[in-house]
Amino acid sequence: MEDFFAEAAKDTAGKLTCIPLPFNAKEVFHKSKGTIHVKGTINEVSYRSKLLSRGNGKYMMTIDKALQKSIGFTGKPMAVHVTMSLDEEDCQTVANHSQPEFAASSMDVITAVQTRQSIREFTQEAISQDLINTILYAGMCAPTAKNKRPVDFVLIDDKKTLYELSLANPNARMLEHAPCAIVVCGDQNREGSKEFLYADCGAAAQNILLCAHGLHLGAVWCGVAANSPWFKLLTEKLSLPVKIAPVAVIALGYPAVKPQPKEKWSPGKVHYGKW
């Protein structure tokens, strides 16, 4: 991790707010090509961002309005203390890391899609780590626009946190009794289009739900409205960096109930050629 002091200031055109780096990021982070994504803190405020090349081995990091507000930037040059490391996504590829243990499913994908139900009642049986790894990996395998992979996951198994989150949202009461939950988060630094960001997070959430069902676990998707009180509580409780948005909270556990699958085939939903 790089640790340095610098000055945040407007560029000569007065359009961008930037922090110049006192080192050659390409050499320090061993990135021979491509965008360099970084994370760390600015005056102890967490961030995730990307670097811009200024040529001749010089780089700078731009600060958007949300981050400017968080660090108290008012438009005048400001001394800042920065910590910076290469974002996990830009470290060595997964192939160069040892993968965790994954579980197998005996349920075929069509059956999983057709029989999955939202489960809101759970037993207190703990979920093994290999099952958790498999479910998280399913989320990572979801399709993503232009392969930007802007989705991150926060696993919550702390009972106090789950209880506090359940109290703050009447539609998430089941979190109080769930062994754990997965918060699907979208990184607006990686995907600037909110439409694509939410689509990517939705695809990841659906993969998680189907995988959980295929492993005979129960799960339910709790949506998070942007800038709602629950959104703000999740951001605070999970210490989410600026521009990391909680999009979905998925309660997870062994089902205490077994509802019968509902018939969902609806010919009226299908339109051939045109509406």
Side-chain angles (χ1 to χ4, degrees):
M1 176 183 291
E2 300 301 310
D3 188 318
F4 59 94
F5 290 90
E7 183 178 81
K10 293 286 187 181
D11 65 1
T12 53
K15 295 181 179 180
L16 298 176
T17 300
C18 310
I19 297 177
L21 273 58
F23 54 84
N24 186 327
K26 181 178 179 180
E27 294 179 354
V28 169
F29 295 128
H30 306 292
K31 286 281 290 183
S32 58
K33 60 181 180 178
T35 303
I36 302 177
H37 292 273
V38 293
K39 63 181 179 180
T41 61
I42 302 175
N43 290 353
E44 299 185 355
V45 175
S46 297
Y47 73 85
R48 294 178 75 176
S49 188
K50 58 185 177 182
L51 304 181
L52 299 180
S53 174
R54 302 165 63 192
N56 297 321
K58 296 181 179 180
Y59 287 82
M60 66 181 183
M61 181 176 70
T62 59
I63 310 175
D64 60 32
K65 292 182 179 179
L67 187 52
Q68 291 174 37
K69 182 179 179 180
S70 296
I71 66 174
F73 181 78
T74 61
K76 297 180 180 180
M78 173 184 177
V80 291
H81 175 215
V82 182
T83 64
M84 181 181 292
S85 61
L86 195 64
D87 203 338
E88 186 67 23
E89 289 286 346
D90 277 355
C91 292
Q92 298 178 13
T93 61
V94 174
N96 292 330
H97 288 281
S98 58
Q99 290 192 354
E101 291 293 328
F102 295 131
S105 172
S106 59
M107 188 182 301
D108 67 274
V109 65
I110 301 300
T111 299
V113 170
Q114 293 178 343
T115 61
R116 187 207 65 80
Q117 298 289 309
S118 293
I119 302 297
R120 295 176 173 82
E121 298 178 43
F122 308 99
T123 71
Q124 290 304 299
E125 183 179 353
I127 304 174
S128 64
Q129 191 60 52
D130 64 327
L131 293 182
I132 294 293
N133 292 340
T134 306
I135 292 168
L136 290 171
Y137 189 44
M140 296 175 193
C141 290
T144 166
K146 297 182 180 179
N147 199 33
K148 289 186 177 180
R149 295 172 57 101
V151 186
D152 285 85
F153 309 92
V154 180
L155 178 66
I156 306 174
D157 56 9
D158 177 67
K159 292 297 183 182
K160 181 180 178 182
T161 301
L162 290 170
Y163 176 66
E164 291 175 347
L165 292 177
S166 73
L167 285 182
N169 185 349
N171 296 315
R173 297 298 192 204
M174 79 294 295
L175 289 174
E176 177 183 357
H177 304 293
C180 68
I182 296 173
V183 184
V184 181
C185 300
D187 186 347
Q188 297 172 24
N189 297 296
R190 287 184 173 274
E191 178 53 79
S193 165
K194 288 187 177 180
E195 291 82 2
F196 289 160
L197 184 71
Y198 277 77
D200 285 358
C201 289
Q206 180 69 355
N207 267 22
I208 287 172
L209 294 172
L210 289 174
C211 182
H213 179 57
L215 295 172
H216 304 289
L217 293 167
V220 62
W221 179 337
C222 302
V224 185
N227 299 317
S228 65
W230 207 45
F231 177 103
K232 294 176 182 177
L233 179 64
L234 283 161
T235 299
E236 176 188 346
K237 288 292 181 184
L238 306 181
S239 300
L240 298 182
V242 175
K243 300 193 75 174
I244 304 298
V247 175
V249 179
I250 300 175
L252 193 65
Y254 283 94
V257 293
K258 293 185 178 181
Q260 289 298 312
K262 300 174 183 178
E263 179 54 58
K264 296 178 181 178
W265 172 250
S266 180
K269 294 290 186 181
V270 183
H271 309 273
Y272 296 93
K274 59 182 179 180
W275 192 271

